[in-house]
Structures are given as structure tokens and as C-alpha cells.
Amino acid sequence: MSLTLQEKILQAAAELFYSQGIKATGVDAIAKAANTTKMSLYKYFPSKDELVLAFLRKRDQDFRAWFVEQIDARADTPKAKLLAVFDVIGEWMAIPEFRGCAFINAAAEFPLEGNPVHQVSAEFYDHFRSYIAGLAGQCGSKSPDSLALQLSLLVEGAIVSEQMKRHSGAAEQAKQAAIVLIEAA
């Protein structure tokens, strides 16, 4: 199936934003990578800000669908799924193209909480924590939201650690800490 021009632009933007950073990526580079003109780009995305938000929303949708599919393929009980989170994250962090989490990176580039890019990034982790809290609740956790926050902090910390030092073993260490937290919950 061939991509529409709008999809090509969004795909080119996604690749450049993730590999080079949002602020470092100009509209000219995106248009060139999509093999189109700035005029055509602006037809679909009236501003770079709109393109950035479209990129983040699509990344959120795609990543969450992929992530849940990966978890479900590896585990069938809520506790096993909570632990599988760290295996899936570890495998994702091992790919050569890994440049950290697009949402953590975006929030770092746009640190003001009122900024729409920052808000969309924060929403991703709200959804992630809700998913984890649901699994924690199914495990019988007395405080599933608290456990979800703790596990999310382990995941986020592992991602940043791996981004800063490749092949750090951060996901495995986070998983070992998660085992302690899950047992205590």
C-alpha cells in the first residue's frame, strides 16, 4: 500500500524529529525527506507546531498498540504482564535506532507545562500509567496507582539511562527493582 503525501510528510518528520530532535529539524529538511515542497507540507500541516503534535499523537497511538501487543504475546497473567513490560522495553532499547523516548525527548525540548507539545508528551505517560495501574489492580495491589507510578518511574529512568549510556543493562536492573515493588504491593 502506497502512502499518501500527508503520510509521507508525517513519516519523514517522525524519522527526523526522533533522530535529530524537534527543534533541530527544519521544515525544509522534512519537505526534502518527504520529496515534496514546503507549500505542500503546509497544505497538510499549517505550522511546524501542528506537524509536531501530529507526530506525537501518531507515535502515541502506534507505540501503545505495539506495546500492548508485545506484552500480550509474552504473558497471560497480570503479574507476568507487569514484568514483561521491562522485557519489551529492554528489547526496544536494544535496537540500533533507539534514541530514547520521543515523549521524554519532546518534553525536554519543550519544558513549559502549558506548551501543547509538553502536554501531549505528559498525556502519553498518563495513558501508560493507567495501563500499568489496570494490571496492578488485576494483581490485587492495594494501591494500583501508586505501584503504577513506581513502575513507570523505573521504566522512564531505564530509558534515560540507556539513552545516555548504550548497553547499560538498565532494563534488567529496573525489572529486578520492579519484582521487589510488585511483591511488596
Side-chain angles (χ1 to χ4, degrees):
M1 181 173 100
S2 74
L3 299 175
T4 66
L5 181 55
Q6 183 177 16
E7 292 167 333
K8 285 179 187 176
I9 293 167
L10 190 54
Q11 183 178 43
E15 291 170 7
L16 291 169
F17 289 155
Y18 186 65
S19 66
Q20 298 179 14
I22 294 168
K23 290 184 177 180
T25 301
V27 175
D28 289 327
I30 296 166
K32 183 178 179 184
N35 199 26
T36 191
T37 64
K38 282 178 27 177
M39 196 160 136
S40 293
L41 184 150
Y42 285 126
K43 174 183 170 191
Y44 295 106
F45 303 98
S47 68
K48 182 179 174 185
D49 291 343
E50 290 298 319
L51 181 55
V52 170
L53 293 173
F55 151 67
L56 289 171
R57 289 183 179 118
K58 179 151 180 33
R59 177 63 59 101
D60 178 359
Q61 179 184 11
D62 292 349
F63 189 87
R64 282 195 291 147
W66 171 84
F67 186 77
V68 171
E69 180 181 302
Q70 295 298 309
I71 297 297
D72 289 346
R74 285 173 172 73
D76 52 9
T77 67
K79 182 178 178 181
K81 288 181 180 189
L82 285 175
L83 293 175
V85 164
F86 296 90
D87 298 329
V88 171
I89 292 296
E91 289 174 18
W92 168 60
M93 293 187 319
I95 64 170
E97 301 82 15
F98 177 78
R99 299 289 180 269
C101 171
F103 302 98
I104 292 171
N105 295 346
E109 286 194 63
F110 297 87
L112 299 178
E113 288 184 9
N115 184 290
V117 171
H118 190 96
Q119 291 172 342
V120 169
S121 298
E123 287 168 12
F124 170 82
Y125 277 99
D126 290 343
H127 294 296
F128 180 76
R129 288 185 193 110
S130 292
Y131 171 73
I132 300 298
L135 293 174
Q138 293 171 31
C139 287
S141 171
K142 296 172 287 241
S143 183
D145 290 337
S146 179
L147 179 58
L149 178 57
Q150 293 166 353
L151 296 178
S152 180
L153 290 170
L154 289 175
V155 168
E156 294 165 45
I159 290 168
V160 172
S161 291
E162 186 67 21
Q163 183 177 10
M164 296 185 70
K165 184 174 186 333
R166 298 292 287 159
H167 313 293
S168 66
E172 183 55 36
Q173 293 303 311
K175 183 178 182 178
Q176 295 307 311
I179 290 169
V180 174
L181 292 172
I182 293 166
E183 291 303 322

